[in-house]
Amino acid sequence: MYKIAVVGDYDSIYGFAAVGLDICPVKDREETRARLKQLAEGGYGIIYITEKAAAELGSGLDEYREMKLPAVIQIPGVSGNTGAGVSGVKKTVEQAVGSDILFGGVGE
């Protein structure tokens, strides 16, 4: 069974510990990069990362998108939703099904 972790600033992720997820508070880009690498190599199947932490990594997150596991999923933090997480999921679904599922569907 794969483990699940949450990476980001402490205020955004501490509540996930209450539901049994491993939390990994990070403070800067280098710490985020190192922690993400450690989790990816440590048997985690899903890694949630705050949109802010993901933005700090920039293209450093791309290598994980090509991997089957872990699935790295952006979530909003306490500072709000930037839309980056939804955009990333939308792109992934478009690649998988070959079309935009939100627009241009049947009946439009």
Side-chain angles (χ1 to χ4, degrees), residues 10 13 16 22 24-25 27-28 49 52 57-58 60 63-64 67 77 83-85 89 99-100:
Y10 181 80
I13 68 170
F16 288 97
D22 294 338
C24 303
K27 295 181 181 171
D28 59 37
I49 184 169
K52 181 181 176 191
L57 287 178
E63 68 181 278
Y64 299 101
M67 298 170 68
V89 170
S99 68
D100 187 337

Side-chain angles (χ1 to χ4, degrees), residues 49-56 74-77 80-86:
I49 184 169
T50 61
E51 291 173 338
K52 181 181 176 191
E56 289 174 357
Q74 293 184 45
I75 59 173
N81 185 353
T82 66
V86 172

Side-chain angles (χ1 to χ4, degrees), residues 3-18:
K3 300 179 279 185
I4 302 173
V6 186
V7 177
D9 62 281
Y10 181 80
D11 290 338
S12 294
I13 68 170
Y14 73 91
F16 288 97

